[in-house]
Amino acid sequence: MPRDINDPRRHVQINPESVGAVAGSEFPGHYPGEDHSWNLEKFKKDLVVSLQRLTPSTLEFDLVGVDASIANALRRVMIAEVPTMAIETVYVWNNTSIMQDEVLCHRIGLIPLKIDPRKMKVAADPRKPHENDTIIFDLRVRCDRRPDARPDETDPKKRYFDSDVYSGMLEWVPQGDQANKFKHDPPRPVNDDILLVKLRAGQMIDFHCFARKGHGADHAKFSPVATASYRLLPHIILRGPIPREHQEKFKKCFAPGVIEIEEDENGQPQCVVKNPRKDTVSREVLRHPEFKDLVQLTRIRDHFMYNVESAGQYPPEDLVPEAIKILRQKIQAVEDGLDRLFENSGTAQ
């Protein structure tokens, strides 16, 4: 059976010299006195992925039993290598707004687009757009006075038509068979209320925009996540009972919900670690001499708590599988390269 991710005894080495402090040697892969050589069966047994929270835009999950290099590779791939679609080329036919062409084009390029990139290819030649690699949007907006507006009206929304240009005004122009390909999920901005520019009577913009597939490593506008981070699970070790007169003070040294006061089997109140996930790794408790030698602050070195916020191009639950797929492709490329290397070495001998 897989080990319990909430078991506080997992891979914890207590260093007597670091009691009451955070040990500097507590990082993944460092286990004094233990044999942690690679074993596939042990890895399968210890590996745990646990979903903690899922919303339409965020994903929180635990990854247990891997090295920090793997955990960080997963995070970096989500940020920089999971492909998305973004506006890359803008043809400015007309722009009489107060905003310069290049500034407005840059703002348009940063709009997250709700386009499934798995249905599109990477453009072989951006100068030769094709229906399989390019999505086209038009942005045509003109601001005019409302004929029924009062002469002394100061509210632009009541005085003008289309005084504010929003991302939702981008109009998808299907090419080739794209109308059937995106029949059930037409390309559009993730959010329709992103303000791009303000117009006044007589001003207009007329843009022709080409969206293409790219990666966050090339430009941040292609990154599918607003944030992707992780932290190690805090582990609070109580080395002895907290005196009753200091229990409330001890509880307040931590974030709410981390420490609770409960009765033991003898009916005596005792401080217990209730939910270490809520701990902010504050060292407040170490400032008080009455708690010296009573508490040790550590972290579970192979328990990573991820927080991923999708920018909207992918559902958050799809981001991790896509990142894992890319990691597997990288591993396969390395294996293929090594095979070719050894083949050439054998031929040379």
mmCIF file of all heavy atoms in Angstrom, residues 164-191:
data_model
loop_
_atom_site.group_PDB
_atom_site.id
_atom_site.type_symbol
_atom_site.label_atom_id
_atom_site.label_comp_id
_atom_site.label_asym_id
_atom_site.label_seq_id
_atom_site.Cartn_x
_atom_site.Cartn_y
_atom_site.Cartn_z
ATOM 1 N N ASP A 164 -14.837 52.561 -24.804
ATOM 2 C CA ASP A 164 -13.835 51.640 -24.279
ATOM 3 C C ASP A 164 -13.732 50.433 -25.204
ATOM 4 O O ASP A 164 -14.757 49.848 -25.593
ATOM 5 C CB ASP A 164 -14.196 51.163 -22.867
ATOM 6 C CG ASP A 164 -14.161 52.288 -21.848
ATOM 7 O OD1 ASP A 164 -13.543 53.331 -22.145
ATOM 8 O OD2 ASP A 164 -14.757 52.130 -20.764
ATOM 9 N N VAL A 165 -12.522 50.055 -25.556
ATOM 10 C CA VAL A 165 -12.293 48.891 -26.413
ATOM 11 C C VAL A 165 -11.834 47.740 -25.528
ATOM 12 O O VAL A 165 -10.809 47.845 -24.839
ATOM 13 C CB VAL A 165 -11.238 49.185 -27.497
ATOM 14 C CG1 VAL A 165 -11.010 47.955 -28.366
ATOM 15 C CG2 VAL A 165 -11.676 50.370 -28.348
ATOM 16 N N TYR A 166 -12.586 46.644 -25.536
ATOM 17 C CA TYR A 166 -12.297 45.490 -24.693
ATOM 18 C C TYR A 166 -11.849 44.297 -25.549
ATOM 19 O O TYR A 166 -12.106 44.246 -26.761
ATOM 20 C CB TYR A 166 -13.534 45.094 -23.878
ATOM 21 C CG TYR A 166 -13.937 46.113 -22.838
ATOM 22 C CD1 TYR A 166 -14.963 47.020 -23.092
ATOM 23 C CD2 TYR A 166 -13.287 46.168 -21.610
ATOM 24 C CE1 TYR A 166 -15.331 47.952 -22.132
ATOM 25 C CE2 TYR A 166 -13.655 47.093 -20.644
ATOM 26 C CZ TYR A 166 -14.678 47.987 -20.912
ATOM 27 O OH TYR A 166 -15.031 48.907 -19.966
ATOM 28 N N SER A 167 -11.217 43.355 -24.870
ATOM 29 C CA SER A 167 -10.738 42.159 -25.560
ATOM 30 C C SER A 167 -11.882 41.388 -26.207
ATOM 31 O O SER A 167 -11.687 40.725 -27.234
ATOM 32 C CB SER A 167 -9.988 41.259 -24.582
ATOM 33 O OG SER A 167 -10.799 40.948 -23.451
ATOM 34 N N GLY A 168 -13.076 41.439 -25.615
ATOM 35 C CA GLY A 168 -14.223 40.730 -26.165
ATOM 36 C C GLY A 168 -14.658 41.229 -27.527
ATOM 37 O O GLY A 168 -15.484 40.583 -28.193
ATOM 38 N N MET A 169 -14.123 42.372 -27.964
ATOM 39 C CA MET A 169 -14.473 42.907 -29.273
ATOM 40 C C MET A 169 -13.651 42.277 -30.391
ATOM 41 O O MET A 169 -13.887 42.577 -31.570
ATOM 42 C CB MET A 169 -14.292 44.431 -29.273
ATOM 43 C CG MET A 169 -15.240 45.157 -28.343
ATOM 44 S SD MET A 169 -14.976 46.936 -28.372
ATOM 45 C CE MET A 169 -16.278 47.485 -27.256
ATOM 46 N N LEU A 170 -12.678 41.427 -30.046
ATOM 47 C CA LEU A 170 -11.949 40.683 -31.075
ATOM 48 C C LEU A 170 -12.901 39.716 -31.767
ATOM 49 O O LEU A 170 -13.607 38.952 -31.115
ATOM 50 C CB LEU A 170 -10.786 39.912 -30.463
ATOM 51 C CG LEU A 170 -9.520 40.696 -30.104
ATOM 52 C CD1 LEU A 170 -8.614 39.850 -29.228
ATOM 53 C CD2 LEU A 170 -8.782 41.132 -31.371
ATOM 54 N N GLU A 171 -12.921 39.742 -33.067
ATOM 55 C CA GLU A 171 -13.823 38.892 -33.851
ATOM 56 C C GLU A 171 -13.016 37.835 -34.603
ATOM 57 O O GLU A 171 -12.136 38.151 -35.401
ATOM 58 C CB GLU A 171 -14.619 39.740 -34.839
ATOM 59 C CG GLU A 171 -15.606 38.945 -35.670
ATOM 60 C CD GLU A 171 -16.358 39.804 -36.663
ATOM 61 O OE1 GLU A 171 -16.186 41.036 -36.633
ATOM 62 O OE2 GLU A 171 -17.104 39.230 -37.486
ATOM 63 N N TRP A 172 -13.314 36.579 -34.304
ATOM 64 C CA TRP A 172 -12.624 35.472 -34.968
ATOM 65 C C TRP A 172 -13.058 35.381 -36.424
ATOM 66 O O TRP A 172 -14.253 35.427 -36.748
ATOM 67 C CB TRP A 172 -12.930 34.172 -34.234
ATOM 68 C CG TRP A 172 -12.426 32.938 -34.925
ATOM 69 C CD1 TRP A 172 -11.207 32.748 -35.488
ATOM 70 C CD2 TRP A 172 -13.144 31.712 -35.124
ATOM 71 N NE1 TRP A 172 -11.100 31.479 -36.021
ATOM 72 C CE2 TRP A 172 -12.277 30.818 -35.812
ATOM 73 C CE3 TRP A 172 -14.419 31.266 -34.775
ATOM 74 C CZ2 TRP A 172 -12.649 29.531 -36.167
ATOM 75 C CZ3 TRP A 172 -14.797 29.988 -35.119
ATOM 76 C CH2 TRP A 172 -13.918 29.127 -35.807
ATOM 77 N N VAL A 173 -12.075 35.215 -37.324
ATOM 78 C CA VAL A 173 -12.335 35.077 -38.754
ATOM 79 C C VAL A 173 -11.896 33.673 -39.165
ATOM 80 O O VAL A 173 -10.696 33.421 -39.376
ATOM 81 C CB VAL A 173 -11.565 36.135 -39.563
ATOM 82 C CG1 VAL A 173 -11.923 36.021 -41.046
ATOM 83 C CG2 VAL A 173 -11.857 37.534 -39.045
ATOM 84 N N PRO A 174 -12.821 32.720 -39.282
ATOM 85 C CA PRO A 174 -12.434 31.327 -39.618
ATOM 86 C C PRO A 174 -11.789 31.244 -40.988
ATOM 87 O O PRO A 174 -12.181 31.937 -41.929
ATOM 88 C CB PRO A 174 -13.772 30.574 -39.582
ATOM 89 C CG PRO A 174 -14.703 31.447 -38.803
ATOM 90 C CD PRO A 174 -14.271 32.853 -39.062
ATOM 91 N N GLN A 175 -10.796 30.370 -41.089
ATOM 92 C CA GLN A 175 -10.090 30.133 -42.346
ATOM 93 C C GLN A 175 -10.178 28.650 -42.680
ATOM 94 O O GLN A 175 -10.040 27.793 -41.810
ATOM 95 C CB GLN A 175 -8.620 30.550 -42.228
ATOM 96 C CG GLN A 175 -8.398 31.971 -41.782
ATOM 97 C CD GLN A 175 -8.885 32.989 -42.786
ATOM 98 O OE1 GLN A 175 -8.621 32.861 -44.002
ATOM 99 N NE2 GLN A 175 -9.604 34.000 -42.327
ATOM 100 N N GLY A 176 -10.399 28.352 -43.959
ATOM 101 C CA GLY A 176 -10.440 26.963 -44.394
ATOM 102 C C GLY A 176 -11.503 26.169 -43.649
ATOM 103 O O GLY A 176 -12.686 26.539 -43.618
ATOM 104 N N ASP A 177 -11.087 25.078 -43.003
ATOM 105 C CA ASP A 177 -11.999 24.185 -42.295
ATOM 106 C C ASP A 177 -12.071 24.483 -40.795
ATOM 107 O O ASP A 177 -12.554 23.675 -40.018
ATOM 108 C CB ASP A 177 -11.559 22.734 -42.508
ATOM 109 C CG ASP A 177 -12.636 21.732 -42.080
ATOM 110 O OD1 ASP A 177 -13.810 21.946 -42.446
ATOM 111 O OD2 ASP A 177 -12.301 20.763 -41.361
ATOM 112 N N GLN A 178 -11.584 25.657 -40.387
ATOM 113 C CA GLN A 178 -11.546 25.988 -38.967
ATOM 114 C C GLN A 178 -12.931 26.078 -38.343
ATOM 115 O O GLN A 178 -13.108 25.788 -37.157
ATOM 116 C CB GLN A 178 -10.792 27.296 -38.747
ATOM 117 C CG GLN A 178 -9.303 27.197 -38.998
ATOM 118 C CD GLN A 178 -8.584 28.509 -38.757
ATOM 119 O OE1 GLN A 178 -9.201 29.547 -38.535
ATOM 120 N NE2 GLN A 178 -7.252 28.468 -38.819
ATOM 121 N N ALA A 179 -13.920 26.466 -39.125
ATOM 122 C CA ALA A 179 -15.280 26.568 -38.584
ATOM 123 C C ALA A 179 -15.763 25.213 -38.083
ATOM 124 O O ALA A 179 -16.448 25.125 -37.052
ATOM 125 C CB ALA A 179 -16.230 27.119 -39.636
ATOM 126 N N ASN A 180 -15.409 24.126 -38.781
ATOM 127 C CA ASN A 180 -15.787 22.785 -38.328
ATOM 128 C C ASN A 180 -14.862 22.283 -37.215
ATOM 129 O O ASN A 180 -15.315 21.632 -36.276
ATOM 130 C CB ASN A 180 -15.743 21.801 -39.510
ATOM 131 C CG ASN A 180 -16.830 22.068 -40.520
ATOM 132 O OD1 ASN A 180 -17.937 22.478 -40.143
ATOM 133 N ND2 ASN A 180 -16.550 21.827 -41.792
ATOM 134 N N LYS A 181 -13.579 22.599 -37.322
ATOM 135 C CA LYS A 181 -12.617 22.148 -36.311
ATOM 136 C C LYS A 181 -12.947 22.717 -34.933
ATOM 137 O O LYS A 181 -12.840 22.033 -33.916
ATOM 138 C CB LYS A 181 -11.205 22.540 -36.729
ATOM 139 C CG LYS A 181 -10.134 22.102 -35.741
ATOM 140 C CD LYS A 181 -8.758 22.631 -36.117
ATOM 141 C CE LYS A 181 -8.227 21.981 -37.367
ATOM 142 N NZ LYS A 181 -6.816 22.372 -37.650
ATOM 143 N N PHE A 182 -13.369 23.987 -34.895
ATOM 144 C CA PHE A 182 -13.668 24.646 -33.626
ATOM 145 C C PHE A 182 -15.178 24.886 -33.471
ATOM 146 O O PHE A 182 -15.602 25.874 -32.878
ATOM 147 C CB PHE A 182 -12.924 25.976 -33.533
ATOM 148 C CG PHE A 182 -11.431 25.835 -33.518
ATOM 149 C CD1 PHE A 182 -10.699 26.044 -34.680
ATOM 150 C CD2 PHE A 182 -10.762 25.488 -32.357
ATOM 151 C CE1 PHE A 182 -9.317 25.921 -34.676
ATOM 152 C CE2 PHE A 182 -9.378 25.362 -32.344
ATOM 153 C CZ PHE A 182 -8.656 25.575 -33.503
ATOM 154 N N LYS A 183 -15.939 23.957 -34.011
ATOM 155 C CA LYS A 183 -17.395 24.111 -34.012
ATOM 156 C C LYS A 183 -17.966 24.235 -32.610
ATOM 157 O O LYS A 183 -18.869 25.038 -32.353
ATOM 158 C CB LYS A 183 -18.017 22.916 -34.736
ATOM 159 C CG LYS A 183 -19.511 22.988 -34.933
ATOM 160 C CD LYS A 183 -19.988 21.789 -35.736
ATOM 161 C CE LYS A 183 -21.477 21.850 -36.024
ATOM 162 N NZ LYS A 183 -21.931 20.669 -36.814
ATOM 163 N N HIS A 184 -17.460 23.437 -31.676
ATOM 164 C CA HIS A 184 -18.028 23.409 -30.326
ATOM 165 C C HIS A 184 -17.293 24.317 -29.342
ATOM 166 O O HIS A 184 -17.762 24.520 -28.226
ATOM 167 C CB HIS A 184 -18.008 21.972 -29.795
ATOM 168 C CG HIS A 184 -18.756 20.998 -30.654
ATOM 169 N ND1 HIS A 184 -20.131 21.033 -30.797
ATOM 170 C CD2 HIS A 184 -18.312 19.980 -31.448
ATOM 171 C CE1 HIS A 184 -20.515 20.063 -31.618
ATOM 172 N NE2 HIS A 184 -19.432 19.409 -32.031
ATOM 173 N N ASP A 185 -16.139 24.850 -29.756
ATOM 174 C CA ASP A 185 -15.372 25.713 -28.853
ATOM 175 C C ASP A 185 -14.634 26.753 -29.692
ATOM 176 O O ASP A 185 -13.428 26.665 -29.893
ATOM 177 C CB ASP A 185 -14.381 24.866 -28.038
ATOM 178 C CG ASP A 185 -13.773 25.646 -26.896
ATOM 179 O OD1 ASP A 185 -14.308 26.715 -26.554
ATOM 180 O OD2 ASP A 185 -12.743 25.194 -26.343
ATOM 181 N N PRO A 186 -15.350 27.762 -30.180
ATOM 182 C CA PRO A 186 -14.728 28.736 -31.086
ATOM 183 C C PRO A 186 -13.635 29.551 -30.395
ATOM 184 O O PRO A 186 -13.746 29.854 -29.207
ATOM 185 C CB PRO A 186 -15.910 29.632 -31.504
ATOM 186 C CG PRO A 186 -16.925 29.458 -30.427
ATOM 187 C CD PRO A 186 -16.769 28.053 -29.935
ATOM 188 N N PRO A 187 -12.566 29.887 -31.111
ATOM 189 C CA PRO A 187 -11.496 30.713 -30.540
ATOM 190 C C PRO A 187 -12.032 32.062 -30.071
ATOM 191 O O PRO A 187 -12.824 32.717 -30.757
ATOM 192 C CB PRO A 187 -10.522 30.875 -31.710
ATOM 193 C CG PRO A 187 -10.773 29.690 -32.581
ATOM 194 C CD PRO A 187 -12.243 29.432 -32.482
ATOM 195 N N ARG A 188 -11.541 32.481 -28.902
ATOM 196 C CA ARG A 188 -11.993 33.728 -28.289
ATOM 197 C C ARG A 188 -11.025 34.097 -27.165
ATOM 198 O O ARG A 188 -10.244 33.263 -26.715
ATOM 199 C CB ARG A 188 -13.406 33.559 -27.725
ATOM 200 C CG ARG A 188 -13.474 32.542 -26.597
ATOM 201 C CD ARG A 188 -14.910 32.166 -26.267
ATOM 202 N NE ARG A 188 -14.989 31.264 -25.110
ATOM 203 C CZ ARG A 188 -14.803 29.959 -25.181
ATOM 204 N NH1 ARG A 188 -14.515 29.389 -26.338
ATOM 205 N NH2 ARG A 188 -14.903 29.216 -24.085
ATOM 206 N N PRO A 189 -11.073 35.333 -26.683
ATOM 207 C CA PRO A 189 -10.277 35.683 -25.511
ATOM 208 C C PRO A 189 -10.777 34.940 -24.270
ATOM 209 O O PRO A 189 -11.965 34.632 -24.152
ATOM 210 C CB PRO A 189 -10.484 37.194 -25.378
ATOM 211 C CG PRO A 189 -10.933 37.646 -26.725
ATOM 212 C CD PRO A 189 -11.725 36.513 -27.292
ATOM 213 N N VAL A 190 -9.861 34.632 -23.369
ATOM 214 C CA VAL A 190 -10.251 33.985 -22.115
ATOM 215 C C VAL A 190 -11.187 34.889 -21.331
ATOM 216 O O VAL A 190 -12.189 34.432 -20.761
ATOM 217 C CB VAL A 190 -8.997 33.638 -21.285
ATOM 218 C CG1 VAL A 190 -9.395 33.176 -19.882
ATOM 219 C CG2 VAL A 190 -8.180 32.565 -21.986
ATOM 220 N N ASN A 191 -10.862 36.186 -21.294
ATOM 221 C CA ASN A 191 -11.700 37.165 -20.605
ATOM 222 C C ASN A 191 -12.117 38.236 -21.600
ATOM 223 O O ASN A 191 -11.277 38.779 -22.331
ATOM 224 C CB ASN A 191 -10.946 37.815 -19.438
ATOM 225 C CG ASN A 191 -10.535 36.796 -18.385
ATOM 226 O OD1 ASN A 191 -11.367 36.144 -17.797
ATOM 227 N ND2 ASN A 191 -9.235 36.661 -18.169
#
